[in-house]
Amino acid sequence: MKLRKVTAASAAALVLALTATACGGDDDKSDSGSGGGDKIKVGIKFDQPGIGLKEPDGSFSGFDVDVATYVAKQLGYAPDKIEWVETKSADRETALARGDVKFIAASYSINDKRKAKVDFAGPYLLAHQDLLVKTDSKIAKGTDLNGKNLCSVTGSTSAQNIKDTIAPKANLRENSGYSECIAALQSGAVDAVTTDDSILAGFAAQDKYKGQFKLAGLKLSNENYGVGVKKGDTATVTKINTALEKMVSDGAWETAVEKNFGPAGYKNEPAPKIGDIVS
């Protein structure tokens, strides 16, 4: 009888051990929000040349990609440990709140409305809202958009800025991505596309669009790009700010600017002061 009790206890222990192994045996952990994983999920744009673009071969390019890769390395993650997650403008706050990503570098302009929902590291780039028009367009200033068809993306601050303060009679068309806006401009369905000059310069520099478009050269707003982090995660904000400061000081920031924006003739502002969060 005593032998049977020991055997039964051993069997029960074995079942518990097997159950625990089945539940916790995933070695491919992903650091989406709480840390401690072998990989890190980072939100970027997939459709913004020069900023964040998924290439036909599945690789990623752009200034935000370079910034995020540098930051992730400083956080302890090699490039092959980064899982890139597409975060469209309208989805960024939700992705951070749910913990889908650890941080977002996706032409994410800092403003008071967004600061109420997420925390920001940075800023790491000062861009300006501008217009992209056809090379023969007569649109030269913001008020010329009254009565014209204007395109931007859902969730962007740029279109609302035009409607509220510059050209209230512009006919606004909102799409899920900038690629659709550029296609509409090319076909003549819209007269202008508005967003940050850095984004527009990336599109204008693409081989398939060269010579077709021009930047109006307007500075309709100041857009301070920040790295979005889940609200309350101050430790990660501090680490990212330290990484960004190092990126500027060691020259990697300037190299990334020249690599991604130089071919389009984009004249960037100097690196902003890291940690100076303004709206």
Side-chain angles (χ1 to χ4, degrees):
M1 180 64 69
K2 185 175 181 180
L3 179 60
R4 283 198 297 272
K5 285 182 179 180
V6 171
T7 302
S10 300
L14 179 60
V15 170
L16 287 173
L18 291 173
T19 302
T21 301
C23 293
D26 186 2
D27 293 329
D28 188 21
K29 297 177 182 177
S30 181
D31 186 357
S32 60
S34 58
D38 296 327
K39 292 185 178 181
I40 186 170
K41 291 184 178 180
V42 179
I44 58 170
K45 293 292 182 67
F46 278 20
D47 66 343
Q48 292 182 356
I51 298 288
L53 182 69
K54 185 175 183 178
E55 301 285 359
D57 64 359
S59 63
F60 296 90
S61 66
F63 181 69
D64 282 350
V65 174
D66 289 344
V67 169
T69 300
Y70 189 100
V71 167
K73 183 178 180 180
Q74 297 304 307
L75 295 180
Y77 298 90
D80 64 350
K81 297 301 183 182
I82 301 172
E83 181 178 338
W84 301 110
V85 179
E86 182 176 22
T87 48
K88 295 184 177 181
S89 295
D91 301 331
R92 290 176 295 204
E93 287 82 21
T94 302
L96 288 170
R98 284 196 309 237
D100 295 343
V101 293
K102 183 67 173 178
F103 65 84
I104 292 176
S107 55
Y108 205 177
S109 298
I110 301 167
N111 62 39
D112 289 337
K113 183 178 179 180
R114 290 170 178 165
K115 285 193 294 183
K117 298 179 180 178
V118 303
D119 285 337
F120 285 99
Y124 63 91
L125 183 72
L126 173 58
H128 302 286
Q129 183 181 351
D130 202 353
L131 303 175
L132 189 68
V133 297
K134 287 190 173 182
T135 52
D136 60 354
S137 174
K138 299 297 190 292
I139 296 175
K141 56 186 183 296
T143 53
D144 291 340
L145 290 171
N146 282 311
K148 298 291 195 299
N149 296 318
L150 173 69
C151 190
S152 193
V153 302
T154 305
S156 170
T157 58
S158 300
Q160 203 58 48
N161 183 43
I162 294 286
K163 290 288 289 182
D164 289 347
T165 65
I166 298 171
K169 295 183 180 179
N171 303 313
L172 178 61
R173 169 175 172 176
E174 293 183 291
N175 286 322
S176 61
Y178 289 108
S179 296
E180 294 92 330
C181 282
I182 301 300
L185 179 62
Q186 186 180 39
S187 70
V190 299
D191 301 294
V193 179
T194 187
T195 187
D196 305 341
D197 50 9
S198 55
I199 298 172
L200 297 174
F203 277 106
Q206 284 190 295
D207 288 337
K208 61 182 177 181
Y209 295 132
K210 278 185 178 177
Q212 297 184 47
F213 307 133
K214 65 180 180 181
L215 287 166
L218 310 179
K219 292 185 178 181
L220 300 175
S221 69
N222 292 330
E223 304 296 334
N224 287 283
Y225 288 2
V227 178
V229 176
K230 187 174 184 179
K231 191 70 176 175
D233 190 358
T234 55
T236 298
V237 169
T238 299
K239 291 177 183 177
I240 293 177
N241 278 336
T242 299
L244 292 173
E245 288 171 349
K246 183 177 180 181
M247 187 178 187
V248 172
S249 65
D250 69 12
W253 184 90
E254 191 64 43
T255 298
V257 169
E258 180 58 32
K259 183 183 89 172
N260 293 290
F261 300 136
Y266 173 72
K267 294 178 174 54
N268 65 283
E269 300 277 5
K273 182 180 179 181
I274 307 301
D276 185 14
I277 298 299
V278 295
S279 57

